Amino acid sequence: MTAWQPLDRKGMAARVAEDIPEGWYVNLGIGMPTMIADYVPDDREVVIHSENGIVGMGPAPTPEQDDPWLINAGKQRVTLRKGGSYVHQADSFAIIRGGHLDLCVLGAFEVAQNGDIANWSTGDGDMAPAVGGAMDLSAGAKRIWVIMQHNTRDGRPRLVERCGYPLTAPGVVKRIYTDLAVLDVTPDGFAVREMVAGLTLAELQERTAARLIG
């Protein structure tokens, strides 16, 4: 029996939100990254962008706030923070491609030790084969962070020496938040910045298919 517990999805989203500085313009990718909006403190000005045309997106709505016309790029109902606005999708992608985003947080299937990211569906199961705006975001945002489970459901590592899935973008990931640790991409390997309480570096290395630096 292990002496440690992995973070759940809410805990992971809250952990990422802690590290987003005041004043940053941030895109949150479809899936788990969108949960981060729920944990940005109300008194911290973080402008959240959604590629379907929202600048200043807020957290998920309460029943009283629910507006079926206000959705993010993942078709989830959201809110608009004070001062937020709607823009044309072409203008939204001009924000992305023009380098105006300080950060984009994406989910991923795999991240390689050199910062390569593979995060788009290849059409397995019921998912449509599409990369969406992830390639634009990976190329246009100033920083790419990834939030994902450290291992697959069958235990395979998602942090690898070289991605086995088709790449979304090469060498762009700077930091990874998993249910077990926070890691930075460095020239020497994945640098472990933080681990869940009770987890050892050796145990984390067993669950990782690339070199870790403690």
Side-chain angles (χ1 to χ4, degrees), residues 67-184:
D67 180 351
W69 293 101
L70 181 50
I71 61 173
N72 62 20
K75 301 181 178 62
Q76 297 169 310
R77 293 180 182 181
V78 294
T79 56
L80 195 69
R81 294 190 74 168
K82 185 177 180 180
S85 63
Y86 310 118
V87 300
H88 190 282
Q89 190 171 20
D91 295 323
S92 181
F93 272 81
I95 292 171
I96 297 169
R97 295 168 181 169
H100 303 294
L101 293 174
D102 295 292
L103 170 68
C104 176
V105 185
L106 295 171
F109 291 126
E110 291 178 330
V111 176
Q113 61 186 4
N114 66 345
D116 293 352
I117 178 173
N119 86 328
W120 62 286
S121 170
T122 56
D124 296 335
D126 296 328
M127 300 178 68
V131 71
M135 284 185 175
D136 295 271
L137 289 161
S138 295
K142 295 175 184 176
R143 302 166 187 82
I144 299 294
W145 294 353
V146 165
I147 179 172
M148 65 178 185
Q149 301 292 331
H150 204 90
N151 299 94
T152 64
R153 291 180 181 177
D154 60 1
R156 289 183 294 110
R158 294 181 185 269
L159 295 177
V160 295
E161 290 185 357
R162 184 174 180 179
C163 290
Y165 288 98
L167 293 187
T168 304
V172 296
V173 177
K174 302 302 182 186
R175 179 171 290 180
I176 305 107
Y177 294 81
T178 78
D179 54 334
L180 301 182
V182 179
L183 311 98
D184 286 339

Side-chain angles (χ1 to χ4, degrees), residues 7 9-20 39 145 175 177-178 181-182 193-194:
L7 296 176
R9 290 165 63 89
K10 291 181 180 180
M12 294 166 66
R15 180 62 192 84
V16 178
E18 286 181 21
D19 286 349
I20 300 176
Y39 298 96
W145 294 353
R175 179 171 290 180
Y177 294 81
T178 78
V182 179
R193 302 304 184 198
E194 184 179 305

